[in-house]
Amino acid sequence: METAITCDYKNGVYCVESGYEGGGVASIYLLRDGNEAAIVDTCNNGALEPVKRAFSELGVKDGEVKYIFLTHIHLDHAGGAGLFAREFPEAAIVVHERGERHLTDPSKLIASAESVYGQAVMKRLYGDILPVRADRITMPRDGCEFRLGGRRVVCFDTPGHARHHLAYKDVSSGAVFTGDAYGMSYAELFGPEGRCAILTTSPVQFDPHAMRASMRRIDDIANGEVYPTHFGLLPTGGGVSDSLYRQLDLYVEAAERAEGDLDVIRASLRELFKEEASRQNCSCLASNFGRVTVTALELNAQGLALWYKKSRNKS
Ligand SMILES: [Zn+2]
């Protein structure tokens, strides 16, 4: 059987393919130091199997998994948290304080995802979402440190994509796990000439000002590369970082110009993606939207339309 470790970054950090949506979409990162290990994001229940295989290849026992760090509670990041918590009995489940109640009682999350995807798709993507017992959950403050073997992992409050978002920095390796706070780059956005990254502004809490501040903060703590959940290590030089900031400006402009009209925003984002793909030297992909990218852009358009509506209601 082939290895479950998609990438060994040679710094105690490993990427595991969750298998979500056919692959190349959601990575799970593993950290290992001595006889202690941690997981960053769980994806869905189906991701447990490759994670267990990866740990077995690394010689890590279930009881040696000390932390499950969740960047946020969107289901493609934390849908499997309840099942993972049962499987790794010693692990503390680390989550933003705003996400805790959805882990202990996922019924609201499930209902809201069912209203977007429909019950059948929800079942296929996530199966049965299990709750996490409250006594397993740790809610760190910004800057809080965790010990993993000889390593320190520091957490950072990074709102913008969602208010319940944390990023984590493994100080030893310098790896910064950014969840959805610093763009995404699916495998279908890797081209021979480079990689494209797109923002993720999905509903219901997108806030462009907070996102910009969080991205700046990540720039300060990362060394020219980030580990987003979607998908694998992303170097932020070579125009990727500039592109993400530019997209943020252009997204906001597009929503304002469209006065929140979803159809108009959707059309603008498609054009914008093509322009950015060509600027980022992913011209081969610019005219060839993959299945996943289309879904991502649709969610981005919905998140922007909702943000516009809320921001107008405020003023
Ligand atoms: Zn998300």
Side-chain angles (χ1 to χ4, degrees), residues 41 71-77 161-162 164-165 179-181 184 200-203 229-230:
D41 281 348
T71 59
H72 62 304
I73 48 114
H74 287 164
L75 293 175
D76 52 337
H77 298 255
H161 171 75
H164 46 83
H165 198 292
D180 283 345
M184 56 187 174
T200 167
T201 65
S202 44
T229 298
H230 316 285

